[in-house]
Amino acid sequence: MDVIVLGGGLMGAASTYFLARRGLRVTLIERNRVGSGATVASFGNIRRSGRYLPQLPLARRSLTLWGKAAEMLDRDVEFRATGHVRLVFSQAGLEEMRSFATAARPWGLDLEELAPKELHARFPGLGPEAIAASFSPEDGSGNPRLIAPAFADAARRIGAEIVETVEVKAIRRSAYGFAVETSNGVHAAACLLNTAGAWGARVSAQFGETVPIVAKGPQMGVTEPLPHRVLPVVGVWGHDHGGGYLRQVERGNIVFGGGAERTDVSLDTGHAKADPARLPGQLRALLPILPALANVSVIRTWSGCEGYVGDGLPVMGRSATTPGLFHAFGFCGHGFQLGPGVGDVMAELISTGATETPIDDFRIERFRKPHEEEVPRSRT
């Protein structure tokens, strides 16, 4: 094989697809089922507003791919460009929104500012006490349950090997490149792409690369179906109301998150659970965003194991210690929108030795101690 992709979340599945599409021989290894970890626990938010500014070129590349996903993967992954609204309830939130909008414009993102009258005319029922809002019409949502399996199935159809439900026992350097020993045998390849999510730092540490990361679980929920009234995805600026967010799916259910602290998750088990005791407070935090939630039933809650890097940015790019090793992990709970773009960029980097999308801010060597040496950067 040319590349082993370790970890079958959205980043790994998308990378596998784009690598295979470039003609490389790829094996994806996942200890559970593809897309069953943090990806399936995601809210499904496809937003660019509020992102770290140098991440916007990657987000734009990814948004373009989201728009092509149904045709590219031969499956509807429920990407809907319904727009993204972020409400403002405080002066601090207003200042944050305007500052970001000004700074993001040179990066190709134009946010529309809505005054209260226009907000309530265009989106009745949202944020009756909001003093302003931003609107990004090209953004929206996708279905977290569909996207990673769709990428994996499409990759399999063009020659990739998808290995699921196996235990990874050891990862070693070999004369050829890398050998990954699993419960169903040893897989070898010239390159290794680490897309192991919250466990990515455990993989990088085996090659002398330490990344400060913690595992957290968001509290997510979904209500009974309601009459359809909310078209865009909705969030807030300034972390008002606990940073709550929600969207209404076509069947009428309201999917929601935020408004509650994330829980600690043990990487030994990876099991993240929603805390029922936090649900009443979470719903109260969401009421200013959508008062119609006051008298609805919540039919399901869930969580997932997400990796949060110390500086809030992902790890993405070449290894600083080991030729042939690449990383794409630690997306800090906001990687869903980026997934297709990350896969495309990593495939470009691995196959050509460079990428047209700037990712230097995400290099793993930003955590390197002064005495540690970096390997020479050359083509793969």
Side-chain angles (χ1 to χ4, degrees):
M1 287 291 167
D2 296 312
V3 187
I4 291 172
V5 178
L6 192 61
L10 175 53
M11 306 305 173
S15 297
T16 301
Y17 169 76
F18 287 111
L19 284 163
R21 201 167 77 165
R22 286 177 175 268
L24 277 71
R25 297 168 299 165
V26 192
T27 296
L28 171 64
I29 299 175
E30 165 57 38
R31 66 174 182 170
N32 294 310
R33 303 289 294 184
V34 167
S36 64
T39 300
V40 78
S42 170
F43 172 71
N45 202 356
I46 297 176
R47 66 157 178 89
R48 290 169 296 154
S49 58
R51 286 194 178 275
Y52 178 64
L53 290 171
Q55 204 175 63
L56 288 177
L58 176 60
R60 163 50 68 180
R61 182 168 179 168
S62 196
L63 182 63
T64 300
L65 292 168
W66 274 108
K68 300 176 180 178
E71 178 182 1
M72 184 170 60
L73 304 177
D74 196 27
R75 185 181 304 182
D76 180 15
V77 294
E78 298 183 7
F79 167 63
R80 304 291 185 263
T82 56
H84 189 275
V85 170
R86 295 190 82 178
L87 303 173
V88 176
F89 291 94
S90 66
Q91 187 62 34
L94 184 62
E95 293 173 0
E96 180 183 341
M97 178 190 74
R98 288 175 173 170
S99 175
F100 178 84
T102 299
R105 199 166 292 118
W107 294 88
L109 175 60
D110 287 316
L111 289 182
E112 182 180 357
E113 180 176 333
L114 306 180
K117 183 176 180 180
E118 186 174 10
L119 167 66
H120 301 143
R122 291 172 62 175
F123 306 108
L126 288 182
E129 302 301 321
I131 62 174
S134 66
F135 182 57
S136 179
E138 295 181 290
D139 293 330
S141 64
N143 192 324
R145 292 179 173 273
L146 301 179
I147 185 63
F151 268 118
D153 288 347
R156 185 185 287 110
R157 290 196 298 270
I158 55 177
E161 181 182 10
I162 311 298
V163 179
E164 299 176 284
T165 63
V166 297
E167 177 188 356
V168 174
K169 296 183 176 181
I171 305 170
R172 298 186 297 270
R173 289 284 285 158
S174 68
Y176 181 67
F178 297 87
V180 178
E181 181 184 351
T182 75
S183 54
N184 81 335
V186 177
H187 300 268
C191 296
L192 176 67
L193 173 55
N194 169 20
T195 58
W199 292 267
R202 289 189 171 183
V203 176
S204 68
Q206 296 182 46
F207 298 93
E209 298 181 293
T210 301
V211 175
I213 194 170
V214 295
K216 296 283 186 180
Q219 177 134 324
M220 309 299 301
V222 62
T223 73
E224 63 184 322
L226 301 175
H228 207 285
R229 67 184 81 191
V230 182
L231 184 61
V233 179
V234 188
V236 298
W237 287 98
H239 296 285
D240 292 322
H241 309 297
Y245 46 88
L246 56 86
R247 63 184 175 94
Q248 188 168 27
V249 302
E250 293 165 359
R251 295 173 293 278
N253 310 76
I254 302 288
V255 182
F256 61 88
E261 289 294 323
R262 292 175 174 85
T263 58
D264 294 328
V265 180
S266 169
L267 285 178
D268 291 335
T269 65
H271 295 155
K273 296 181 180 180
D275 183 357
R278 302 185 186 200
L279 183 58
Q282 183 179 30
L283 291 173
R284 285 193 296 271
L286 294 170
L287 289 179
I289 301 172
L290 183 65
L293 290 174
N295 297 303
V296 301
S297 297
V298 175
I299 60 175
R300 185 168 68 91
T301 60
W302 67 92
S303 187
C305 183
E306 298 176 336
Y308 288 79
V309 179
D311 61 4
L313 299 177
V315 174
M316 189 176 172
R318 290 185 183 87
S319 164
T321 64
T322 309
L325 174 63
F326 298 82
H327 303 292
F329 68 90
F331 286 84
C332 305
H334 57 252
F336 187 78
Q337 191 275 350
L338 299 175
V342 170
D344 197 25
V345 165
M346 295 310 299
E348 181 184 29
L349 178 62
I350 292 170
S351 62
T352 71
T355 175
E356 64 183 26
T357 299
I359 58 172
D360 278 356
D361 283 16
F362 314 132
R363 292 163 58 173
I364 197 167
E365 51 263 48
R366 69 187 191 265
F367 302 114
R368 192 178 66 248
K369 296 177 182 178
H371 66 276
E372 295 175 335
E373 295 184 1
E374 179 182 349
V375 296
R377 289 185 166 268
S378 59
R379 292 178 62 89
T380 303

